Structures are given as structure tokens and as C-alpha cells.
Amino acid sequence: MVYHDEIIVLADGRTLREAIEEDPAGFLGPGHADAYGASPALLVKLLHAGERLPVHCHPDRDFARRHLDCPWGKTEAWVITAIQVPEAVVHLGFREAIDPRRLDELVEGQRTEALLASLNTLPVAPGDAVLVPAGVPHAIGEGVLLVELQEPTDFSVLLEWDGFAIDGRRDGHLGLGFDLALGCVDRSGWGRAELERLRGQARHAGRPGVERLLPAEADPFFRAERLRPDPAATLEAAFSILVVTGGSGRLETRGGTLDLARGDTVLVPFAAGPGELRGRLEAVRCLPPAPEAAVAGRPAPPAGAGPGGAP
């Protein structure tokens, strides 16, 4: 496949969006298609923070339904793959609960030092995985390279923009105005125990060479696995995005064999069937929510809607 202006074009000339819409069960799996239609229900990004990113947050599904006419919010997760500074950090959640007036003052006055100081600072290292619930204010520190899993939207509310190349007063409130947009911010205090709950504890996934990376709270939104062949990592049939973070090897499925090396990113359709990853490599496997994790009131894209956020 080739890329044109961030649109993935397949060898037959169709865009990935068009191909999924024509065969959602083949790409996404029958259970997923029954639950979510032609939406992959997942957005995957590779993010390199060349500078500290501004403090911001994302609305949850309830806020998005009520104010943005969208069934998806933007819970996300970070899988740290590399760091380029001696002490890499991320900033996540208010250290103490903050009242609406104080938050308004910090944002309106762009009191950025006080805003950043009000957040928890977490050291991170390669291999760490962190769940970031919708609404929780956060910022990624300088020199962090990560794989980011998200719900399939790009909704962001900026709390900080001074010193960054963005017009936050114009573009930072989703067109809602800050009086309403700041209503999506989680203003509660996040203590160490709550933050540790968001850190994934790698655990065996019940298949050779596969570890689950994220806490169970992530399951209604997405799943992430670390693949370390020994001598093989076993993959069940599923729509997924593989990001090779080190080494080289090959992916073997009934659809064929594909050589892989560090930096490769591969979309694996459900129709490829079960497979194995072999070689001296490590990869992050990003998956949408399992159909059985869908709960009452789950996002259901409108009839005929395309796969919003298709990787």
C-alpha cells in the first residue's frame, strides 16, 4: 500500500476506507462488524515529542454525544518505545482536585508554569504502557517516542498554548467556547495509587510470545500486546496494527509471509487468519475493543458512515 496525503491507497487503487466499507467482516471480523459496523473503532499513531507537548485533554463519549454529535470520545494509551533524554517524563492528572474557577483562571491567563506544576509528573522508560482516560489533562514530555492507541477521533481541548505554534484561543475549544469545552476536564485529584492503576503491568496473554500491556479498564476502548517471538509469537485471527519496535523477522499467515524490520507498521486484516511472528524482533500489536467488551450504549456509527479514524 502507498500513502497520499495521509490517505492509504491499496495496490488496486481503492482507499483503505473504501475497501473496509466494501468488506467490513473480512477486514474487521464478523463480530466486530456486528458491533461497530465498518468502523475499525481504533486510531493508531506514532508520536515523537521533539518538545514537550502542551497540556490538553479529550472529551469522553458522553460529552461527545451531547455536544459534538459523535458517538466516540477519545480515551487513549501510550506505549513507550524509546526515549532521547536522560530523564523522560509525562504529565498526567491533577495532583489535587481543582475547582472550575481556578481552572478558568489558569487557562484564560495562560499561567502555564502553574498549570504544569498542578499535574503529576511520571517518569517513563521504554516498555512502559499508560492508559489515559478521556477528560484527564496530560502532556507528553520532550524526547519521548511512543505508539499511541486512541478512540477514532481527534477531539482535543487545549489548556495551554502560550509558546506553541497554535492559536489556542481560536482552535482550542472544539468550536464550543471554553465555558462549555472546559466542562469535559477531569478536575479530580489523581494520587499515586490511582496513577499506578493506569500503568499497564505486562502479563501473559495465554499465547506463546504474547504479553498484554494495558489494564483491564482499557478493554472497552482498545487492546495492546507486546510480541516477543520465542521462537514464535502466536496470533489469533483479528484486525490489528503491528508496529515493529526492534529487530527483524517475519509475519506468517495463511495469506502469505511478510518480512519485517524495526520501524515497519503493518495492517493485518481478520481475513488473513491466525498467524505467527518469528525472528529476533519485538513489536506492539494494537487491537480494537473486543466485541464482547462492548457495553450497552456503545458507540454505533450512523448507517453508511465510513471507518472514521482508519489507520
Side-chain angles (χ1 to χ4, degrees):
M1 60 184 65
V2 295
Y3 296 79
H4 296 305
D5 298 327
E6 299 183 353
I7 296 174
I8 299 176
V9 180
L10 305 180
D12 62 9
R14 293 179 300 167
T15 66
L16 176 60
R17 180 187 297 270
E18 291 168 343
I20 293 177
E21 288 176 340
E22 291 173 11
D23 185 15
F27 269 91
L28 307 173
H32 182 107
D34 287 345
Y36 299 108
S39 172
L42 174 68
L43 177 61
V44 176
K45 297 179 179 178
L46 299 179
L47 191 155
H48 176 219
E51 63 177 345
R52 179 183 67 79
L53 302 187
V55 178
H56 63 290
C57 75
H58 311 291
D60 63 15
R61 292 175 178 181
D62 181 62
F63 186 97
R65 287 189 188 100
R66 288 186 290 117
H67 302 295
L68 299 168
D69 193 27
C70 180
W72 306 99
K74 197 181 176 186
T75 288
E76 65 184 47
W78 306 325
V79 180
I80 312 299
T81 62
I83 59 173
Q84 298 176 322
V85 293
E87 297 180 354
V89 299
V90 296
H91 307 274
L92 182 63
F94 288 116
R95 297 165 58 191
E96 299 179 353
I98 185 171
D99 66 53
R101 179 173 297 180
R102 174 62 173 165
L103 179 59
D104 288 346
E105 291 173 352
L106 293 176
V107 175
E108 173 62 27
Q110 281 300 280
R111 298 179 58 185
T112 57
E113 290 186 8
L115 179 63
L116 193 65
S118 71
L119 301 181
N120 293 286
T121 300
L122 281 69
V124 291
D128 287 349
V130 182
L131 175 65
V132 184
V136 177
H138 57 274
I140 298 168
E142 178 186 357
V144 178
L145 176 66
L146 55 86
V147 176
E148 190 170 43
L149 296 87
Q150 305 173 337
E151 292 184 79
T153 76
D154 268 324
F155 296 142
S156 293
V157 173
L158 291 180
L159 308 186
E160 177 190 18
W161 57 83
D162 190 34
F164 294 91
I166 187 170
D167 187 341
R169 294 195 187 279
R170 184 191 67 189
D171 302 323
H173 48 71
L174 298 172
L176 302 174
F178 279 108
D179 285 347
L180 177 55
L182 291 179
C184 81
V185 179
D186 181 343
R187 295 182 290 100
S188 60
W190 285 77
R192 288 294 162 179
E194 290 83 4
L195 290 172
E196 285 305 312
R197 196 185 78 239
L198 299 180
R199 282 186 181 268
Q201 302 295 326
R203 57 201 188 280
H204 198 272
R207 288 173 280 119
V210 183
E211 295 177 321
R212 293 195 61 179
L213 291 178
L214 298 173
E217 290 92 332
D219 287 353
F221 305 101
F222 36 65
R223 296 163 289 158
E225 298 174 341
R226 179 177 292 117
L227 309 180
R228 290 173 170 159
D230 185 24
T234 303
L235 311 179
E236 83 285 12
F239 168 80
S240 63
I241 306 297
L242 293 184
V243 182
V244 182
T245 57
S248 62
R250 65 185 184 276
L251 173 65
E252 300 176 351
T253 73
R254 68 187 181 197
T257 299
L258 183 65
D259 291 331
L260 298 174
R262 183 178 183 270
D264 285 342
T265 300
V266 180
L267 184 153
V268 182
F270 177 88
E276 290 185 335
L277 196 65
R278 294 183 174 273
R280 299 178 62 85
L281 80 164
E282 185 171 310
V284 176
R285 187 186 190 213
C286 307
L287 300 109
E292 58 268 23
V295 296
R298 64 177 181 257

